[in-house]
Amino acid sequence: MAKRRISNQKVSQIAQERISRLTALSVDALKSGRKDRAVRYVEIALAICRKSKTKMPGQFRYCKKCRIPLVPGINLQIRLNNDVMTHTCTECGHIKRIPYRKEKRI
């Protein structure tokens, strides 16, 4: 008997569903104080991303160093400087700088 092959589109759809569920669980675990569990959920989601060649959701932020989900007010500090928005993880101190432009008045 020949095995049925799942199409790449179906694989990516299943992967996106599981990744979105895991990211939601990681934020809930972080808010309830289970940091170890939150990190594990992010690691599993990243493994699914690598295996299925899909991307993490754009609205989900996590620390690239310690893999903890970043939630403003809990473990994320956001500062606006001249032309740079700075995200600082309060768990490990990792800094991510994102450039932005202010609107110019004429």
Side-chain angles (χ1 to χ4, degrees), residues 1-5:
M1 287 185 94
K3 290 185 180 181
R4 260 190 214 198
R5 183 167 173 85

Side-chain angles (χ1 to χ4, degrees), residues 23 37 39 54 64 66 71 76 90:
T23 55
R37 187 173 287 184
V39 170
T54 58
K64 305 288 192 250
C66 64
V71 179
L76 175 65
T90 57

Side-chain angles (χ1 to χ4, degrees), residues 33-104:
R34 299 293 307 263
K35 294 179 185 177
D36 55 339
R37 187 173 287 184
V39 170
R40 181 67 182 142
Y41 288 148
V42 172
E43 288 175 350
I44 294 170
L46 288 171
I48 292 172
C49 287
R50 285 190 299 268
K51 187 74 174 175
S52 65
K53 297 179 184 175
T54 58
K55 293 183 178 181
M56 286 289 273
Q59 70 274 11
F60 180 70
R61 291 184 287 202
Y62 66 96
C63 180
K64 305 288 192 250
K65 188 175 179 183
C66 64
R67 305 278 194 226
I68 195 162
L70 295 175
V71 179
I74 296 177
N75 63 351
L76 175 65
Q77 183 181 30
I78 300 175
R79 294 287 184 242
L80 299 175
N81 294 330
N82 295 330
D83 292 334
V84 178
M85 182 170 38
T86 306
H87 291 180
T88 305
C89 175
T90 57
E91 300 293 323
C92 66
H94 182 73
I95 297 172
K96 181 178 181 181
R97 293 180 181 89
I98 303 168
Y100 75 95
R101 289 186 174 185
K102 295 179 184 177
E103 292 183 14
K104 293 182 180 179

Side-chain angles (χ1 to χ4, degrees), residues 2-13:
K3 290 185 180 181
R4 260 190 214 198
R5 183 167 173 85
I6 300 173
S7 67
N8 289 339
Q9 184 179 12
K10 186 70 174 173
V11 169
S12 65
Q13 179 186 3

